[in-house]
Amino acid sequence: MSIISQVLVTLSAALCLFIFYLETLATTSDRTSKVFSISKEVLEAKAMNVLMKNQGVYNGFIGLALLYAAFFSPNGREVAAVFLVNILVAAAYGGATSSPSILMKQGTLPFLALLSLLFF
C-alpha cells in the first residue's frame, strides 16, 4: 500500500472512529446533536439511544478494520477496499434516504482512499 493510500485509509478510519465516539460514547452530547441534526431530547429517548449505540459499534469495527488493513494486514489493499466500499454504500444510502450531505461528509475520504488504492 502506498503512503498516500495509507494516509487516506487512516483518515477514513479516524472518521469512522469519530462517528463511533459520537454515537456510542457521547450519544446525548451537544456535539452529537449538532453533527447529526437530531435534538438532544430525541437522542435521550431509550429507543434512539440504543439504535445510535448499536450503529456506533459498527462504525468502530469498520474503523479498526481499516487500521488493521493500513498497518498490519499482509493483504491491506484488499481488506481496505472491502471496508471502504462498505462505507461508500452506507454513505450513498444515507445520502439517498436521510440527507444528501451525508454522501459528501461520510463518503469523500473513503472515496479518495479507494481511488488511491486503485491508482497508486
Side-chain angles (χ1 to χ4, degrees):
M1 184 180 305
S2 74
I3 291 176
I4 293 170
S5 295
Q6 199 169 24
V7 167
L8 289 169
V9 169
T10 301
L11 289 172
S12 297
L15 175 63
C16 289
L17 293 171
F18 177 65
I19 294 169
F20 160 79
Y21 166 76
L22 291 175
E23 293 176 339
T24 306
L25 303 175
T27 310
T28 59
S29 71
D30 291 330
R31 178 109 177 169
T32 301
S33 176
K34 184 178 177 182
V35 168
F36 294 110
S37 299
I38 301 172
S39 72
K40 286 186 72 172
E41 293 77 27
V42 171
L43 290 172
E44 290 169 354
K46 178 72 172 162
M48 177 61 98
N49 197 283
V50 170
L51 289 172
M52 290 286 284
K53 289 180 187 304
N54 187 341
Q55 186 171 315
V57 169
Y58 283 99
N59 278 296
F61 283 131
I62 291 171
L64 292 175
L66 288 173
L67 290 176
Y68 169 74
F71 296 104
F72 304 108
S73 175
N75 299 316
R77 291 172 62 115
E78 293 83 3
V79 173
V82 168
F83 286 99
L84 292 168
V85 168
N86 183 303
I87 297 168
L88 290 173
V89 170
Y93 181 80
T97 61
S98 180
S99 170
S101 67
I102 290 174
L103 183 57
M104 293 302 293
K105 290 177 186 175
Q106 190 177 348
T108 301
L109 270 173
F111 178 72
L112 294 172
L114 189 59
L115 285 179
S116 76
L117 290 176
L118 295 172
F119 296 111
F120 295 109

